[in-house]
Amino acid sequence: MQAPSPHVVALNLTRRCNLACAHCYMEAGARLARDPEELSTGGVCALLDDIAGLSDETMVVLSGGEPLLRKDVEAIAQHGAGLGLMMVLGTNGMVLTGARVAGLVAAGLRGVGISVDSLDPARHDAFRGLPGAFVRTMKGIDACRRAGLGLQIHFTVTDDTAGELDAMIAFARSCGAIALNVFFLVCTGGGRHVGNISRTGYDRTLRRLTRAAHSAEGIMIRARCAPHFKRMALELDPDWPITLAHGYEAGGCLAGTRYVRVTPAGEVTPCPYMEISAGSIRERGFADIWHNAPVFERLRAPQLTGRCGACEYGELCGGCRARPLAATGDLMGEDALCTYQPTGAAGIAVTRPTAPVIAWTAEARARLDHVPPFVRRFVRQRAEEHARKAGCAEVTVGHLKTLARRRFGGQAPGPAEIAERIHDRG
């Protein structure tokens, strides 16, 4: 049986960067010269053709290095959008002026993820390796907010910054962000030399994150490279749809199953933290690699070892596959960052939510169909939950409007002001 098409394809367009982050998995440093192996505009567009041939509902993340150092990002975004792909951008935000954002929106870009690693400007700048980076990133966030471009905030947690989680959630919500993505470092690339986060700090922070995601209104709070979120979510609320087959974005290792990365030179890997190549698009078609590469077949039918292999949460969580690969070279080994000890209980199967099916009016369904694919599932879940709590048998446009008012009502201050307020409070 063929694997479904990937939900997300990350295109690392370049190793060039205007920052020098110590934790960078690409080890981009402050490179400004183009790598001669970098895919050309035509090469990237041909790849997008192949991706769209599998599905036009795939989300494509244009990333780097710093992708905006390429002059053809708008052309690439326009080509992908024309194919029906959901084109989004991952950036440090430092070169996002109003004019650049307007050009990206005109090209069909549907969203942007911007990295903010501390609300303390000095700490953020130190983490990013450049004085003044924080101020420029805040200006980039403000430019996206003014243009109405869908915004996600990316926050990398370490033991030094874990205490800022609640403040970062408040910051992201105040910016009108669609999501806060909380990343837990995998020790690859430059991350090998970063202190990272302790097992105790990881467990404590992930539990706080789980509670915040469960109670969040109007924003998605998601753990990245932390599939143990699923176990904690199930412990917190067994009926929470995020713990079951829905909500895969918030947990579970996606590498090679619903997510794939393409390097600047065209190598296909299961995720950005795995350097093992499944093949090169210069030699084979993307669809052939996705469906037939042996490493993907292993990840789709994993034979886990160690604690992960004995764990009753193996199907629901399965651990991060990049961590054991980086630590020991064993793709199927246990995720050493996890503190959980298997109990020997029967395995917990992934099942569908038990909540009763709820209908949608034709008008509400039409509105849902216009929601970008990467947030449609979230909108559907929120709308159905809201309708059920209201005692309604179907979701109406009125329900959608109520949820929209909750999220967008009022005029929020700019991100630099929000960050300053939050930092001053603690």
Side-chain angles (χ1 to χ4, degrees):
M1 182 179 178
Q2 272 197 337
S5 58
H7 291 291
V8 181
V9 178
L11 300 187
N12 288 145
L13 293 178
T14 184
R15 290 184 180 273
R16 286 175 280 172
C17 194
N18 48 6
L19 288 175
C21 305
H23 67 290
C24 179
Y25 65 85
M26 295 281 287
E27 297 186 278
R31 306 182 191 198
L32 297 177
R34 180 183 182 275
D35 186 333
E37 294 297 312
E38 203 171 274
L39 290 173
S40 66
T41 306
V44 175
C45 289
L47 171 60
L48 294 175
D49 291 340
D50 289 346
I51 294 169
L54 287 174
S55 170
D56 62 1
E57 292 190 349
T58 299
M59 181 169 71
V60 177
V61 184
L62 304 178
S63 183
E66 174 47 58
L68 290 173
L69 295 185
R70 284 186 63 141
K71 305 301 183 184
D72 57 357
V73 170
E74 286 81 357
I76 291 169
Q78 184 172 27
H79 185 82
L83 296 169
L85 297 169
M86 169 64 62
M87 303 300 294
V88 300
L89 181 73
T91 174
N92 58 44
M94 294 206 308
V95 297
L96 280 175
T97 63
R100 191 76 194 266
V101 171
L104 290 165
V105 171
L109 194 79
R110 300 294 293 275
V112 60
I114 298 180
S115 298
V116 180
D117 293 306
S118 174
L119 296 173
D120 176 347
R123 178 177 285 169
H124 174 91
D125 290 356
F127 199 69
R128 291 280 157 180
L130 181 71
F134 180 85
V135 172
R136 293 174 64 182
T137 294
M138 291 299 113
K139 289 180 179 178
I141 291 173
D142 204 27
C144 293
R145 190 174 64 90
R146 289 196 304 268
L149 182 59
L151 174 66
Q152 300 188 36
I153 300 297
H154 296 170
F155 172 44
T156 298
V157 173
T158 68
D159 277 340
D160 291 335
T161 61
E164 294 192 52
L165 177 60
D166 293 339
M168 193 64 72
I169 293 170
F171 170 74
R173 181 180 283 113
S174 298
C175 286
I178 295 168
L180 171 66
N181 294 314
V182 181
F183 288 82
F184 293 84
L185 278 174
V186 179
C187 293
T188 61
R192 296 189 305 271
H193 314 296
V194 174
N196 203 348
I197 191 166
S198 64
R199 295 178 75 198
T200 301
Y202 173 79
D203 188 86
R204 181 175 57 249
T205 303
L206 194 54
R207 288 189 184 280
R208 287 174 56 207
L209 178 63
T210 303
R211 292 192 295 270
H214 185 260
S215 62
E217 292 288 345
I219 186 172
M220 291 180 286
I221 300 174
R222 306 188 288 194
R224 296 303 194 193
C225 304
H228 319 104
F229 171 95
K230 291 281 191 170
R231 169 176 56 81
M232 295 181 181
L234 186 63
E235 292 169 349
L236 179 66
D237 180 0
D239 293 325
W240 187 11
I242 209 76
T243 68
L244 306 171
H246 293 345
Y248 70 88
E249 298 93 340
C253 187
L254 313 182
T257 59
R258 290 153 293 191
Y259 180 96
V260 66
R261 184 270 293 257
V262 182
T263 72
E267 297 294 325
V268 181
T269 77
C271 85
Y273 305 108
M274 295 185 189
E275 292 299 328
I276 48 175
S277 176
S280 171
I281 63 167
R282 298 181 191 271
E283 300 169 0
R284 299 166 58 192
F286 177 81
D288 179 28
I289 296 172
W290 173 255
H291 286 308
N292 301 312
V295 66
F296 291 158
E297 292 176 351
R298 288 188 69 196
L299 289 165
R300 292 163 192 165
Q303 301 295 314
L304 304 178
T305 61
R307 284 182 299 132
C308 288
C311 186
E312 60 270 31
Y313 292 95
E315 185 179 356
L316 192 70
C317 166
C320 171
R321 295 297 94 218
R323 286 198 184 94
L325 180 67
T328 67
D330 182 3
L331 184 64
M332 295 291 122
E334 69 177 50
D335 184 342
L337 197 56
C338 177
T339 62
Y340 185 75
Q341 293 296 327
T343 65
I348 298 170
V350 174
T351 57
R352 292 288 175 182
T354 57
V357 175
I358 190 166
W360 286 63
T361 65
E363 187 178 4
R365 176 64 63 181
R367 289 202 177 203
L368 182 67
D369 289 343
H370 285 89
V371 173
F374 78 109
V375 295
R376 189 176 299 152
R377 183 174 305 180
F378 169 77
V379 172
R380 182 188 300 114
Q381 290 172 358
R382 289 294 191 189
E384 292 178 357
E385 180 184 5
H386 175 67
R388 286 191 192 97
K389 286 182 177 178
C392 300
E394 60 183 2
V395 177
T396 67
V397 169
H399 294 133
L400 298 178
K401 288 181 177 178
T402 297
L403 291 173
R405 281 196 300 271
R406 286 181 182 176
R407 181 178 163 210
F408 298 110
Q411 181 63 41
E417 181 182 354
I418 297 165
E420 183 177 357
R421 292 179 188 174
I422 294 172
H423 179 52
D424 287 346
R425 284 202 300 267

